[in-house]
Amino acid sequence: MMQVVDARGERCTVPGAGALQVTDADAAVARGDSPRALHDGTGTTADGAAVDVRVLTRPVRTVDGTTAALSFALPLDDVQDPLDGLAQLLAAVTALGVLASAGAGLNRRRRTRTAHPPRQPAHQHRPAAARRRRRTRPARHPPPRPADQRQGAAAGTARPRRRPAELARPDETGPVRETVALHDVVARAVQRARLRGPGLTVRDDTRPWYVPGDPASLERAVVNLLDNAVKFSPPGGAVDVRLADGELTVRDHGPGIPPDDLPHVFERFWRSPSARSLPGSGLGLSIVARSVAESGGTVALEPADGGGTLARVRLPGTTDPPP
């Protein structure tokens, strides 16, 4: 997957190359504040499937001389599988090296014993006086260390080893918390939905709403909801998006969700039997549920009047912009 990011953090996707979530690190590269960014994230393939990816963003110069960035991404499975295979190969090579070293050491010791047999002591018995002197010699003890040194050594032994920051997984650092203009997030997702469903009518009615949360996670959640509505809409159908008073609704006119499937739609990797022939990984709605919960909100799917599905997201926030 590949896309261009401008200095404002806006992305421009390449036809047939999917789309990636823009992070603050990517925007910093586009502004020229950082030489590059390498991180894990989430993207959407050209066929609409949500995937976890490894993203590399490098700066570029546009034709008019302004700064921008180019983001490349590979699915994490494509990155991790070769690494797992390399780790197994290295473990096997290391084991063979240990065995070879041990065998060589044994052979050297055998050759040494053959060439230089152990010498017998010149005197088998020592004088009794020497033995008495050895028994009466006072035992030596190491000098006592100050109390603070003893405590420091004990503390150093008990202290757990810290994991280097550069080896921590991105999800261990926790989500970013800042005020997010949800109406702007919805507007970008609507624009994307119109591009992904050129034969559909995507109607939107959004009012200002500011919520505390992670901008990238919230945008991913809204994009996944609209992508889901586009995927299940019939040709020439319509998708209605509305944001007012902290409630976001996305309504499609597709086949709807069977009642028996509704309790499972937010489970990770779960896919309805009727949707298993369609592109997707079963992660889209689980990502929505997690992102909304991180912002203190709720999400639910329900049958829509007249057919189709209505997604309802409630997020705490305010109509007043941050100071």
Side-chain angles (χ1 to χ4, degrees):
M1 288 178 277
M2 179 175 60
Q3 68 184 22
V4 177
V5 180
D6 65 17
R8 297 173 301 173
E10 300 289 340
R11 65 188 176 197
C12 178
T13 59
V14 178
L20 303 168
Q21 297 301 316
V22 179
T23 67
D24 292 340
D26 300 323
V29 175
R31 292 192 303 269
D33 297 338
S34 177
R36 72 166 198 163
L38 178 64
H39 58 85
D40 292 349
T42 300
T44 306
T45 63
D47 57 7
V51 292
D52 294 328
V53 293
R54 179 70 50 81
V55 183
L56 173 63
T57 301
R58 303 297 293 266
V60 295
R61 280 279 179 182
T62 60
V63 177
D64 58 3
T66 59
T67 60
L70 190 61
S71 293
F72 303 88
L74 286 175
L76 280 181
D77 289 343
D78 293 349
V79 177
Q80 192 61 40
D81 290 347
L83 291 179
D84 291 342
L86 179 60
Q88 294 173 3
L89 177 60
L90 289 175
V93 171
T94 302
L96 290 174
V98 170
L99 291 175
S101 299
L106 289 173
N107 289 333
R108 282 196 299 271
R109 284 197 292 273
R110 289 194 190 99
R111 288 196 299 269
T112 301
R113 283 198 294 268
T114 302
H116 305 284
R119 293 183 295 177
Q120 298 296 327
H123 302 283
Q124 297 293 338
H125 303 284
R126 295 188 178 185
R131 290 198 296 270
R132 283 197 299 273
R133 283 197 301 271
R134 189 171 63 249
R135 287 198 298 267
T136 58
R137 185 178 300 160
R140 294 185 180 182
H141 299 281
R145 289 182 296 176
D148 56 346
Q149 291 184 7
R150 291 197 301 271
Q151 293 173 358
T157 302
R159 184 181 298 117
R161 295 178 63 187
R162 293 185 178 179
R163 191 178 187 186
E166 64 270 15
L167 296 181
R169 289 175 56 86
D171 55 1
E172 291 176 357
T173 62
V176 177
R177 300 291 295 181
E178 60 184 63
T179 301
V180 181
L182 189 62
H183 47 283
D184 290 341
V185 172
V186 173
R188 289 193 294 269
V190 166
Q191 182 180 10
R192 169 193 167 92
R194 287 171 177 154
L195 293 174
R196 292 188 59 79
L200 300 177
T201 300
V202 182
R203 300 183 287 254
D204 64 307
D205 178 13
T206 60
R207 316 289 172 83
W209 193 251
Y210 298 89
V211 302
D214 182 348
S217 294
L218 287 173
E219 180 158 354
R220 187 182 310 147
V222 176
V223 165
N224 284 356
L225 279 179
L226 267 70
D227 281 354
N228 212 50
V230 168
K231 181 165 62 174
F232 289 100
S233 292
V239 175
D240 296 297
V241 182
R242 186 173 187 272
L243 172 63
D245 299 324
E247 182 179 75
L248 169 66
T249 58
V250 179
R251 190 242 201 265
D252 65 54
H253 295 263
I257 301 175
D260 293 342
D261 293 347
L262 280 173
H264 307 287
V265 291
F266 295 109
E267 294 177 6
R268 191 174 173 85
F269 298 115
W270 187 88
R271 303 189 70 195
S272 168
S274 61
R276 288 172 186 168
S277 60
L278 299 175
S281 61
L283 288 172
L285 290 178
S286 68
I287 292 173
V288 173
R290 183 187 66 190
S291 301
V292 171
E294 287 174 351
S295 295
T298 60
V299 58
L301 297 185
E302 59 191 62
D305 293 337
T309 301
L310 176 67
R312 195 185 300 274
V313 176
R314 292 186 176 91
L315 288 166
T318 177
T319 57
D320 299 324

